[in-house]
Amino acid sequence: MNIPAHFPALALCIAGAAAVGLGTPIASADEPDDHFIIRDCEQSREDLARAIREFAENEEDWIFLAEFDLAGGDITALKVCYLPLGPDIVDAGLHVGAMMPCGQIGLYEENGNTKLSMLHPKFMTTLQPHPSLERAVERAEPAFETLLDHVLGGP
């Protein structure tokens, strides 16, 4: 099941039941939990990477930081940032600066299908409970949904 969702830091649909537009925990320990957004994609990794890069480069509140191969080229890793989240993250303390408003995105193939995997923004509140990070997650979800809908051809 493809579920609309997105995140602040990079890296995109959780298979399973939906709750508030996001997936619920998966039964198998070998599969991602609800801290990941995973989507099945019709596009190639190259086309998806290009679409994500172009989106981030053309939207005022976004920046594109990096694209590189991992795992011997099996994963195309991307990093894009949604800048409006920065103040909320910094408000939680400078020590959480490593969680800047960026999406960690991985593009890969599995069983002949292209997949997109991304950290869900709520990973921040799991690592560091703080009211300003809760605000950041609330603001990040719709922003990353917009990114995903744009690059994957959603609503």
Side-chain angles (χ1 to χ4, degrees):
M1 167 185 275
N2 287 334
I3 303 164
H6 61 269
F7 163 55
L10 194 247
L12 311 110
C13 154
I14 295 178
V20 190
L22 303 174
T24 56
I26 305 295
S28 171
D30 293 336
E31 296 197 23
D33 64 21
D34 62 351
H35 283 90
F36 294 89
I37 299 163
I38 302 170
R39 299 270 180 99
D40 292 315
C41 310
E42 294 182 12
Q43 306 96 316
S44 68
R45 282 194 292 160
E46 296 80 15
D47 288 344
L48 277 173
R50 181 175 38 260
I52 292 166
R53 183 177 53 253
E54 288 173 358
F55 178 89
E57 290 174 345
N58 292 309
E59 294 294 321
E60 182 177 329
D61 289 338
W62 292 82
I63 60 171
F64 179 81
L65 293 177
E67 177 179 340
F68 49 93
D69 287 335
L70 296 172
D74 289 342
I75 301 169
T76 301
L78 303 161
K79 188 168 182 83
V80 297
C81 293
Y82 182 62
L83 300 175
L85 302 179
D88 286 331
I89 294 170
V90 171
D91 186 53
L94 296 179
H95 67 287
V96 298
M99 294 190 296
M100 271 301 154
C102 301
Q104 320 314 324
I105 301 169
L107 307 175
Y108 59 98
E109 277 97 30
E110 185 175 82
N111 300 322
N113 298 312
T114 303
K115 301 279 231 176
L116 180 146
S117 175
M118 180 177 173
L119 282 172
H120 189 288
K122 70 179 163 185
F123 87 91
M124 294 185 295
T125 56
T126 299
L127 294 175
Q128 182 70 46
H130 193 280
S132 68
L133 293 177
E134 293 286 342
R135 280 192 310 273
V137 171
E138 289 173 10
R139 294 172 63 200
E141 288 178 352
F144 279 87
E145 280 182 27
T146 298
L147 165 70
L148 295 178
D149 288 344
H150 179 82
V151 302
L152 298 175

